Amino acid sequence: FYEIGIDKTNPLRLYGGTQDNGTNRTTTGSVSDWESIYGGDGFYVIVDYTNPNVIYAESQNGGFGKSSDGGISFDDATAGINPSEKRNWSTPVVMDPNNNNVLYFGTNKVYRTTNAAANWTAISPDLTNGNQPRLGTVTTIDVSITNPNMIIAGTDDANVWITSNSGTNWTKVSATLPYRWITRVAIDPLNENISYVTFNGLKWRDPQPHIFRTTNKGQTWSDISNNLPDAPVNAFAIDPLRTNVLFAG
């Protein structure tokens, strides 16, 4: 599994994007009724938290589809996204936790839709260091629950950017962070000033764990890796009810 999604109207309905085996789900939480609903390599999968019949699924390099019939059929959902822009093997796409019609998608820029993927508009410049071999894409995006105007994005070439005004202005906040592939950015669900960024050593053969925390919107960062094992960090989550509890994979 590359990514996992949950139907928030029924947490027994589990979804996941899998290597070489598409997007799969169980509608009961059982191990015996998994079915494939979208092809290719499976990556991010999002179920609309207001309507479980609306499902977004992804294949490698940012192939992206939308279903309005519970996963029976999918239509392309990339209108307005420049097809010539680089996309990561695992292209990030997230739904705004404050508005189910707003989603964000990453190429080397950040795109936003306000009409449930009917069309997309770029809300950032190129956030990467330019067109490098096998680098130069946005890898992770998060939106604040307490302030939907605040968005954070990370790239495979070590850049972290924050906007506090819905993309009108972006601030690069990664000058003191490691020059490594960024795997996750996450904003504290109760405090927009607190964010986390995680790294792995892909392309650098560096297994050292890296998790950094900011309490001032990226002005300064603290390494909180501490006694984590000497391994890349590829997944990260904040407990929404106890935000001092963090999960790293």
Side-chain angles (χ1 to χ4, degrees):
F1 280 91
Y2 282 120
E3 301 289 347
I4 295 171
I6 294 176
D7 179 349
K8 292 187 178 181
T9 68
N10 182 349
L12 291 177
R13 297 194 194 110
L14 306 175
Y15 293 73
T18 61
Q19 182 181 20
D20 291 333
N21 286 280
T23 299
N24 297 275
R25 73 170 173 195
T26 169
T27 57
T28 66
S30 169
V31 298
S32 60
D33 70 338
W34 286 80
E35 60 177 339
S36 177
I37 60 170
Y38 199 72
D41 286 81
F43 289 95
Y44 284 84
V45 53
I46 299 170
V47 181
D48 187 323
Y49 48 79
T50 69
N51 181 358
N53 287 318
V54 176
I55 302 166
Y56 301 89
E58 186 181 34
S59 56
Q60 65 270 29
N61 297 123
F64 191 59
K66 176 184 178 181
S67 173
S68 299
D69 56 15
I72 297 172
S73 62
F74 283 82
D75 296 314
D76 179 76
T78 61
I81 299 173
N82 188 337
S84 67
E85 292 172 356
K86 293 178 70 173
R87 304 181 194 182
N88 197 266
W89 181 250
S90 176
T91 294
V93 58
V94 298
M95 180 177 285
D96 188 329
N98 308 281
N99 185 337
N100 63 301
N101 291 311
V102 175
L103 291 89
Y104 295 88
F105 185 100
T107 60
N108 57 354
K109 304 173 182 178
V110 173
Y111 281 79
R112 177 173 57 213
T113 176
T114 59
N115 51 19
N119 62 279
W120 299 80
T121 303
I123 62 165
S124 83
D126 186 347
L127 300 181
T128 74
N129 297 326
N131 192 16
Q132 311 162 74
R134 303 197 68 173
L135 291 174
T137 63
V138 174
T139 52
T140 175
I141 303 168
D142 197 24
V143 185
S144 171
I145 296 175
T146 56
N147 177 6
N149 296 314
M150 181 175 167
I151 306 154
I152 185 170
T155 71
D156 56 16
D157 52 7
N159 296 334
V160 179
W161 296 81
I162 288 177
T163 177
S164 296
N165 53 16
S166 293
T168 301
N169 304 101
W170 291 83
T171 301
K172 188 176 178 181
V173 296
S174 47
T176 62
L177 292 172
Y179 191 84
R180 293 292 183 268
W181 184 297
I182 295 171
T183 52
R184 287 291 185 275
V185 289
I187 303 172
D188 187 295
L190 301 181
N191 187 338
E192 67 183 89
N193 295 307
I194 298 174
S195 294
Y196 299 84
V197 58
T198 67
F199 300 81
N200 67 24
L202 192 62
K203 310 299 181 194
W204 289 272
R205 299 183 182 178
D206 173 13
Q208 181 180 358
H210 292 297
I211 301 180
F212 286 77
R213 181 177 190 258
T214 180
T215 58
N216 52 21
K217 294 186 179 180
Q219 295 180 54
T220 58
W221 296 89
S222 300
D223 185 350
I224 62 168
S225 305
N226 295 312
N227 64 333
L228 284 172
D230 192 21
V233 178
N234 289 311
F236 183 83
I238 306 165
D239 189 310
L241 300 180
R242 302 168 298 162
T243 57
N244 61 318
V245 178
L246 311 175
F247 299 88

